[in-house]
Every structure is written in structure tokens, then in C-alpha cells.
Amino acid sequence: MLSAIIATHESERALVPTLAALVPAAAAGLLAEVVVADAGSADATAEVAEFAGCRFISSKEPVGTRLKSAAATTRTPWLLFLRAGTVPQAGWIEATGRFVQATDMREGAACAGVFRPVAATDYMRPRFGEILALLRATLGGIPQADQGLLIARRFYEAVGGHNSSADAEATLLRRLGRRRMAMLPAAIDIVR
């Protein structure tokens, strides 16, 4: 079982497709809860989260502090960090379940998973960001926060979790390093 933690700020529209993609995981018994860690939005982010049955935590603290606090309120052995507007694609539930099971079977394994970026759909004119994401994934660079992060709670706590810097998500990914991260065989898309 895992808990999804979603960072938001003025994210009412972007949050909807992210939450919709998580519903099948809850139905399959993989996802126990969703926590929305908001930065004090003035839009309807809180209402969207409440309607979807999420726990909503609001704070003006930096994103890393909000994510770490939200993680501390959960009780599942696995954490899935997402940004509002990121949408795991078909096959993500099975890929996540296999990764969790394989990692749990290796006692003491220190490994985290990230989703692969969606490939450009218009091969004649792919977006620049998609090209960069694919190059990073192919060449073994550090994944981006938009790719999500699936991590065992014990590993998250062992590395100190998110810090309070302005780029806490990127800092955590760099601290984990490419050797301790696996690319999940499922993609994640960003809704614009």
C-alpha cells in the first residue's frame, strides 16, 4: 500500500486529471490515501481535493517542508510524490505494484522509482521540453520532479526526506542519485 502526496498551488484545474488517474489504483487496493499539500491557494484547489476524498493540508511553508510534513502524516510503507497536472499513463498501477514487490523482497534495498516521460506524439514537431526529458532519461541524467517519485518510507526517512530549499524536489532527486533510482516501465504526462 502506498500514499500519494501531491504538491499544489492554485491548482484546481491541474489537480483534477492527476486525481482521476489515481482512482483505479485506489480501486485496485494499491493506493491507501491521497494527501494534497497546498501552498495556500485562493482558487478551488481545496474543494477539488475535498470532493475527491483527499486529505488537504495547507501551509505557506516552502514546497519541501509541505511535502515532508504531509509524508509524516501518512502510515503506509510507500510514498508516491506527484505534482498537480502530472498524469501517470496506462500500466502505471501494474508497474508500481511490481516495483514495490520487487524492492520489498530485497531486504534493505535502497532504491526509488520514477516514471519515464511521455514520448513526443508529433514526431515532426516534438516540444522542446519533451526532447530534453527523453534525452535525460536515455542518457541517464537525474530525473525531473515532473516524473514523480515512488519511494519506500524507510528509504525516504533514511535520506532525510525533502529539505526546505526552494528546489527541494530536485535536491532530493540529486541526493538519491541515478544509481539509486529505477525508471518505471510506465510513462507520466504533464497536463498543460
Side-chain angles (χ1 to χ4, degrees), residues 62-64 83 162-174:
V63 67
R83 286 184 172 176
H162 290 89
N163 64 24
S164 59
S165 70
D167 65 341
E169 294 166 298
T171 301
L172 176 59
L173 291 170
R174 280 193 303 272

Side-chain angles (χ1 to χ4, degrees), residues 92-112:
W92 82 269
I93 297 169
E94 295 79 14
T96 299
R98 283 192 304 271
F99 179 80
V100 166
Q101 186 177 28
T103 305
D104 282 346
M105 286 175 33
R106 295 185 316 234
E107 182 106 8
C111 187

Side-chain angles (χ1 to χ4, degrees), residues 18-33:
T18 302
L19 293 175
L22 298 178
V23 170
L30 178 67
L31 183 65
E33 66 180 323

Side-chain angles (χ1 to χ4, degrees), residues 5-179:
I5 301 168
I6 305 171
T8 59
H9 183 250
E10 307 296 344
S11 305
E12 68 179 87
R13 289 182 184 222
L15 185 57
V16 172
T18 302
L19 293 175
L22 298 178
V23 170
L30 178 67
L31 183 65
E33 66 180 323
V34 177
V35 181
V36 175
D38 189 68
S41 297
D43 67 359
T45 301
E47 288 81 1
V48 170
E50 182 180 333
F51 182 77
C54 304
R55 224 168 1 105
F56 185 80
I57 300 171
S58 182
S59 168
K60 295 287 187 180
E61 296 292 328
V63 67
T65 303
R66 292 192 330 264
L67 292 172
K68 190 172 188 174
S69 295
T73 69
T74 66
R75 300 201 182 274
T76 61
W78 283 87
L79 305 169
L80 174 63
F81 293 96
L82 297 171
R83 286 184 172 176
T86 57
V87 180
Q89 300 297 294
W92 82 269
I93 297 169
E94 295 79 14
T96 299
R98 283 192 304 271
F99 179 80
V100 166
Q101 186 177 28
T103 305
D104 282 346
M105 286 175 33
R106 295 185 316 234
E107 182 106 8
C111 187
V114 294
F115 295 101
R116 64 179 173 76
V118 167
T121 54
D122 181 357
Y123 295 104
M124 299 305 290
R125 291 188 302 210
R127 292 180 280 192
F128 185 68
E130 291 172 329
I131 292 171
L132 287 178
L134 286 171
L135 283 173
R136 274 193 303 271
T138 304
L139 299 176
I142 300 295
Q144 303 299 298
D146 287 344
Q147 290 176 249
L149 176 64
L150 175 63
I151 187 167
R153 171 187 303 286
R154 68 183 184 281
F155 186 31
Y156 179 75
E157 291 170 352
V159 297
H162 290 89
N163 64 24
S164 59
S165 70
D167 65 341
E169 294 166 298
T171 301
L172 176 59
L173 291 170
R174 280 193 303 272
R175 218 169 49 236
L176 292 172
R178 189 70 186 124
R179 289 183 334 186

